[in-house]
Amino acid sequence: MDNSTSRSRWLLIGLAATVMGAAGTYQFIWSSLSGAVGARIAASDTALGTVFTLYIIAQTLVQLPAGHIRDRFGPQKLLIASGILMFVGYAGTAVVSSIFSIYLSYIVGGVGAGIAYTVAVNTSVKWFDKRRGLATGIVTMAYGGISVLLIPLFREYIDTRFTATLLVLGGTVGILGILAGLVIRDPDDLTTSTERGDSSVSKKNADQNGLIEESPSVGWRTAARTWQFWLFYGVLVIVNGVGLMLIGQSVQLTIELGLSAAVATSVASVVALADGAGILIISSLSDTFSGERTAGVSLLLCSVSLAGAIAAANQHHPLLFLLLTGGAAFFRSPVFSIFPNLVGSYYGEARSSENYALIYTAKVPGGVFGGTVASVLVSLLGWSMSFYLGAGLIAVAGLLTCSLTPTTVISNEGATTDP
C-alpha cells in the first residue's frame, strides 16, 4: 500500500472523529441545555430527565439497524441522513414550546447521533488491523472531547440567545455529518462481500501497513450464539452502569462525602478530561498488547481507583480523591474503543457494525442501573457503600474480560478457531 493510501485512511479517521464529536454534543451538552429548556417551557426536573432517557434509548437502539445497513450498503447515505436528523433535532428543540415537542426533537436528534456513532466507531475497524487501537481511540475520544471544548462557549450564550445558539449548533453538526457522508467510505472488498449473507467470507489479511484484506465474517445471529458475545454484553452493562453512576453523580457524591464546593466543582471536569485521555492512551496500548488483556487490566485498575477515591474522601484527602476519581474515569473509558476492535476480530470486520451495535445496546440496562438502581442503592446503602459496590462490579468485569482468549475468531458455525 502506498503512502497516499495510508494518508487517506488517516483522513477518514479524522472525519470519523469529527462526526463522532458532533454526535456526542447531544449527550454532553444536555446538562448545560436542560436548565435553559426548563426555564423556557416551565418543565419539571422529572420531565427534563425523561428527555435524556428517551435520547439514550433512541441513540442506542438505532445502532443495530444502522449497523446492518452500513455493512451492506456502506456509510455514505447513512451519514448524510444522520447529519439531517441531528440538525432537525436541535432546530426543533430551538423553536418548539412544549415538553412533548422537546421529547420528539431530542429523539430525532438521538437517532441521528446513534447512526453517526456506529458508523464512526466502526470506520477504523473496517480500514485498520495494525494500529487499530490508536485509530479507534482517536475516534472514540472525540465523542466527549469536542463537547468539552464547546461547553464553555455554549453556556455563555444559551441563556440569552437560546434559539440562535441551538440553530447554529444544529447547522454545524448537520453540515459535518453531510460532509463526512460525502467522503467516508468502506473498502470495496468489505462492502460487496457482506451482500452474500451470514456465511460470507469478507477480506482481511493485513499487509505490512495494516490494510484489511481477508477474514471470515458472521452476522449477529451467529455471534449471539457464542458465550463470548454475552460476556462482551455483560461487561458493557456493568461498565455503562457504574460509569454513568460516576459521571452523573460525581458532584453530589463529593458533597455528600463532606468535601468542599471547590472540589465538587472540579470533579466533573476531572472526570470528563480523564475519560477522553484514557480512551486515547490505553487504547493505543492494545496495538502492542492484546486487546483482551489491555481492557481487562484497565478495568481492574478502574476498580482499585474508584474504591481508593471513596476511601480518600472518607479520610478527607480532597486532592487524592480528585486524582483517584480521575483514575477511575481514565481506566474505565478505554473499553469503548477496544471492544469494537475485539468484536471485529472475533466475528469479522465485514459485519462488525451490526455485531457491535447489538452489543452496544447494553447501554440501555446500564443506563437504568446508573440512574434508577443507583439512586435506590444510595438510599439503602449510603453513598460510600454504593460506590464500593460499583468498584466491586467493575473488578468482576475486568476479570471476565481477562478470561477471553486473545486473537480468537468465531467461525460461521459458532465454534472457536485460531485465525
Side-chain angles (χ1 to χ4, degrees):
M1 181 177 61
D2 59 27
N3 289 334
S4 63
T5 302
S6 179
R7 285 193 299 269
S8 67
R9 288 190 303 150
W10 286 107
L11 172 62
L12 296 179
I13 293 303
L15 288 171
T18 302
V19 77
M20 176 71 94
T25 61
Y26 269 91
Q27 178 166 318
F28 289 94
I29 283 180
W30 174 249
S31 61
S32 299
L33 174 61
S34 60
V37 170
R40 184 179 175 86
I41 63 173
S44 67
D45 289 342
T46 301
L48 293 173
T50 302
V51 176
F52 192 70
T53 299
L54 292 173
Y55 159 77
I56 292 293
I57 293 171
Q59 185 259 0
T60 302
L61 296 185
V62 74
Q63 294 193 36
L64 179 58
H68 183 79
I69 293 169
R70 185 258 177 89
D71 287 337
R72 280 153 180 74
F73 304 106
Q76 296 181 313
K77 291 181 180 179
L78 278 171
L79 281 174
I80 292 171
S82 76
I84 294 171
L85 292 171
M86 287 192 290
F87 167 73
V88 170
Y90 276 133
T93 304
V95 300
V96 298
S97 57
S98 72
I99 187 62
F100 293 104
S101 299
I102 297 292
Y103 290 160
L104 180 59
S105 296
Y106 232 72
I107 287 172
V108 171
V111 170
I115 293 171
Y117 185 103
T118 196
V119 171
V121 79
N122 283 286
T123 296
S124 56
V125 179
K126 302 290 188 182
W127 281 98
F128 285 81
D129 187 4
K130 296 178 181 178
R131 307 187 73 181
R132 186 189 289 172
L134 174 60
T136 309
I138 291 171
V139 174
T140 312
M141 181 184 67
Y143 187 63
I146 290 179
S147 292
V148 170
L149 300 177
L150 289 178
I151 285 172
L153 183 64
F154 184 82
R155 291 175 67 97
E156 181 178 350
Y157 291 106
I158 189 60
D159 290 326
T160 57
R161 302 177 183 177
F162 181 89
T163 300
T165 301
L166 282 181
L167 288 175
V168 169
L169 179 61
T172 301
V173 301
I175 290 170
L176 290 174
I178 292 170
L179 289 177
L182 296 175
V183 178
I184 292 179
R185 60 185 177 85
D186 289 340
D188 292 338
D189 47 11
L190 286 179
T191 302
T192 56
S193 66
T194 58
E195 296 174 358
R196 302 175 189 171
D198 199 284
S199 62
S200 68
V201 176
S202 64
K203 296 187 175 182
K204 183 227 174 216
N205 275 331
D207 66 12
Q208 60 182 349
N209 292 302
L211 182 63
I212 292 171
E213 291 180 2
E214 188 171 27
S215 78
S217 180
V218 299
W220 66 267
R221 291 178 180 84
T222 298
R225 292 199 294 268
T226 66
W227 64 267
Q228 291 92 340
F229 179 94
W230 293 105
L231 189 149
F232 283 130
Y233 192 91
V235 168
L236 279 189
V237 170
I238 294 172
V239 172
N240 273 297
V242 177
L244 291 172
M245 180 178 172
L246 176 63
I247 293 169
Q249 305 200 44
S250 59
V251 174
Q252 190 64 28
L253 169 69
T254 305
I255 295 170
E256 295 292 339
L257 294 183
L259 299 179
S260 68
V263 177
T265 300
S266 301
V267 71
S269 296
V270 168
V271 168
L273 292 172
D275 188 90
I279 287 173
L280 182 60
I281 295 172
I282 302 297
S283 296
S284 64
L285 293 178
S286 66
D287 291 329
T288 302
F289 306 99
S290 77
E292 295 88 345
R293 298 298 180 267
T294 302
V297 171
S298 185
L299 289 176
L300 291 173
L301 292 173
C302 170
S303 172
V304 172
S305 298
L306 182 56
I310 303 304
N314 286 326
Q315 295 298 317
H316 299 287
H317 295 299
L319 180 58
L320 185 58
F321 168 77
L322 285 175
L323 289 173
L324 288 171
T325 303
F330 181 89
F331 290 116
R332 181 198 75 98
S333 59
V335 165
F336 294 100
S337 58
I338 295 175
F339 271 23
N341 297 336
L342 291 179
V343 170
S345 296
Y346 278 46
Y347 304 111
E349 283 77 9
R351 306 188 73 170
S352 61
S353 296
E354 66 175 71
N355 288 329
Y356 183 67
L358 183 59
I359 292 172
Y360 188 80
T361 61
K363 188 173 183 177
V364 174
V368 173
F369 178 90
T372 305
V373 175
S375 298
V376 173
L377 287 175
V378 167
S379 66
L380 294 175
L381 303 177
W383 287 88
S384 293
M385 287 305 300
S386 296
F387 276 84
Y388 280 135
L389 176 60
L393 290 172
I394 288 288
V396 171
L399 292 172
L400 289 173
T401 305
C402 285
S403 73
L404 290 165
T405 303
T407 62
T408 300
V409 174
I410 307 303
S411 73
N412 294 334
E413 293 74 31
T416 303
T417 59
D418 292 331

